[in-house]
């Protein structure tokens, strides 16, 4: 299906308000910068590539040329900013698990599994590629890579962080990681410009191919709505517990979110040319991001949004208290008279989309 190039589109256009609010909250956690810096320094760019690539195969004009052509279409649709910087490399990794990821610090790249290629049709593969390119164009793959390292190794296997109580950090990091997927889903639909195909991708990721039978997207979307809006207050608590340590939201939740975004008219407006251009983005205070997130969820779950905000605040308080206690103990043991009151330096910048 032909796509309309979204010339000079800024990644702010497709950012989900809950993504921006969760990231701002994560960055505000005392000690967060130190955690990011330590993990990034230990693994480095080459270490990350070695960790995630393994036996993966680099895609190019002669290596999986059809997939390469799909990727070029996605780069054109989202108008990859090519001012002196090459497009991110694309790799295929042999694994039956359907998955894909965008990782790296200074030079992020995309890895898509062979299981994903076997499961999805070419148009659906294009949606997944656009999702991953969307992640990279937001410039936040540093944080996503940190999250994947934490998930891959586990907190207990990272002795460099042993002096910090990390559960609140882990929960806040994964909360943002999940919300970032909602932004990537919007980029996926913009890169594919086929809403039904975009939503069908989640049905297949959740339940597989039809294999000669019939799969019904409308029935799946009704199921997604029932999961999100049905049940009691206790069901909402159970849903939160079920997802607290997951790196991805449930496929039903993502399909429902993306469907509502399309139905709101935002998708059609962007495709018609109404979007934020690069260079015209404006930084906004955290309170405005949180207000957007709260407003977005108000119609379907106002009480749940307030509960989420309370959980985030309590996690921030717990992390702050634990980090200060650890820093005080470390300083006392070293005899340096106590921790410094100087603010931590800013986190390392991810690759820029501008």
């Amino acid at each position: 299906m032909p796509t309309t190039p979204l010339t000079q589109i800024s990644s702010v256009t497709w950012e989900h308000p809950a993504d921006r609010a969760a990231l701002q909250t994560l960055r505000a956690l005392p000690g967060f910068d130190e955690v990011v810096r330590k993990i990034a320094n230990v693994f480095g760019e080459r270490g990350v590539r070695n960790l995630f690539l393994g036996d993966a195969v680099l895609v190019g004009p002669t290596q999986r040329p059809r997939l390469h052509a799909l990727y070029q279409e996605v780069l054109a649709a989202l108008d990859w900013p090519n001012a002196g910087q090459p497009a991110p490399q694309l790799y295929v990794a042999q694994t039956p698990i359907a998955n894909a990821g965008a990782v790296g610090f200074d030079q992020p790249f995309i890895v898509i599994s062979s299981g994903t290629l076997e499961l999805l049709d070419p148009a659906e593969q294009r949606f997944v590629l656009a999702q991953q390119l969307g992640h990279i164009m937001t410039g936040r793959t540093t944080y996503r890579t940190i999250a994947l390292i934490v998930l891959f190794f586990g907190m207990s296997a990272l002795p460099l962080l042993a002096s910090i109580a990390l559960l609140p950090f882990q929960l806040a990091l994964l909360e943002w990681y999940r919300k970032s997927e909602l932004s990537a889903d919007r980029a996926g639909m913009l890169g594919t410009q086929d809403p039904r195909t975009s939503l069908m991708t989640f049905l297949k990721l959740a339940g597989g191919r039809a294999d000669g039978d019939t799969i019904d997207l409308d029935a799946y979307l009704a199921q997604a709505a029932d999961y999100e809006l049905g049940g009691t207050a206790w069901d909402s608590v159970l849903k939160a517990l079920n997802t607290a340590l997951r790196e991805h939201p449930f496929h039903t939740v993502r399909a429902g979110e993306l469907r509502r975004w399309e139905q709101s008219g935002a998708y059609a407006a962007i495709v018609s040319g109404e979007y934020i251009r690069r260079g015209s983005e404006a930084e906004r205070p955290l309170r405005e991001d949180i207000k957007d997130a709260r407003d977005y969820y108000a119609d379907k779950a106002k009480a749940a949004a307030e509960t989420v905000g309370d959980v985030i605040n309590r996690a921030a308080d717990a992390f702050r208290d634990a980090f200060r206690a650890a820093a005080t103990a470390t300083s006392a043991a070293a005899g340096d008279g106590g921790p410094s009151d100087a603010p931590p330096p800013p986190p390392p910048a991810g690759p820029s989309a501008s």
Side-chain angles (χ1 to χ4, degrees), residues 183-260:
S183 295
D185 295 341
R186 294 178 174 187
M189 184 175 283
L190 292 172
T192 303
Q193 297 180 18
D194 185 342
R196 296 285 293 183
T197 292
S198 302
L199 295 168
M200 179 61 77
T201 303
F202 292 114
L203 192 162
K204 288 187 177 179
L205 288 171
R209 300 176 65 91
D211 289 328
D213 207 340
T214 299
I215 52 178
D216 186 339
L217 178 58
D218 293 321
Y220 181 67
L221 294 175
Q223 174 190 333
D226 182 61
Y227 174 81
E228 290 190 273
L229 303 179
T232 64
W234 177 241
D235 289 324
S236 297
V237 173
L238 294 177
K239 291 174 185 177
L241 292 174
N242 286 339
T243 58
L245 293 176
R246 287 177 57 91
E247 70 271 27
H248 291 86
F250 289 126
H251 295 305
T252 50
V253 173
R254 297 174 70 172
E257 287 281 355
L258 192 57
R259 176 60 170 162
R260 278 190 298 277

Side-chain angles (χ1 to χ4, degrees), residues 71-283:
Y71 186 40
Q72 302 312 302
E73 293 174 7
V74 168
L75 291 166
L78 294 182
D79 191 26
W80 168 255
N82 57 2
Q85 51 181 322
Q89 291 181 326
L90 171 63
Y91 292 84
V92 174
Q94 167 60 26
T95 172
I97 300 174
N99 205 350
V103 293
F105 296 132
D106 298 321
Q107 296 178 307
F109 54 93
I110 297 171
V111 182
I112 188 170
S113 72
S114 59
T116 300
L117 301 180
E118 293 168 5
L119 174 67
L120 302 179
D121 296 336
E124 296 155 356
Q125 295 171 17
R126 186 188 313 181
F127 173 76
V128 173
L129 294 174
Q131 284 177 311
Q132 305 314 315
L133 185 64
H135 279 311
I136 291 176
M137 289 177 66
T138 63
R140 297 171 186 162
T141 53
T142 289
Y143 301 126
R144 293 186 57 80
T145 304
I146 296 297
L148 288 170
I149 289 173
V150 167
L151 287 166
F152 188 87
F153 286 100
M155 290 297 190
S156 60
L158 296 171
L160 68 158
L161 307 177
S163 63
I164 302 175
L166 289 170
L167 181 58
F169 164 75
Q170 184 179 15
L171 292 174
L173 181 62
L174 290 176
E175 171 68 12
W176 166 72
Y177 192 96
R178 289 190 297 271
K179 294 300 184 290
S180 72
E181 295 293 352
L182 303 181
S183 295
D185 295 341
R186 294 178 174 187
M189 184 175 283
L190 292 172
T192 303
Q193 297 180 18
D194 185 342
R196 296 285 293 183
T197 292
S198 302
L199 295 168
M200 179 61 77
T201 303
F202 292 114
L203 192 162
K204 288 187 177 179
L205 288 171
R209 300 176 65 91
D211 289 328
D213 207 340
T214 299
I215 52 178
D216 186 339
L217 178 58
D218 293 321
Y220 181 67
L221 294 175
Q223 174 190 333
D226 182 61
Y227 174 81
E228 290 190 273
L229 303 179
T232 64
W234 177 241
D235 289 324
S236 297
V237 173
L238 294 177
K239 291 174 185 177
L241 292 174
N242 286 339
T243 58
L245 293 176
R246 287 177 57 91
E247 70 271 27
H248 291 86
F250 289 126
H251 295 305
T252 50
V253 173
R254 297 174 70 172
E257 287 281 355
L258 192 57
R259 176 60 170 162
R260 278 190 298 277
W261 183 64
E262 181 213 352
Q263 290 179 324
S264 73
Y267 161 78
I270 293 171
V271 173
S272 68
E274 298 177 23
Y275 54 81
I276 301 172
R277 267 68 176 177
R278 294 173 202 140
S280 64
E281 308 92 338
E283 289 296 326

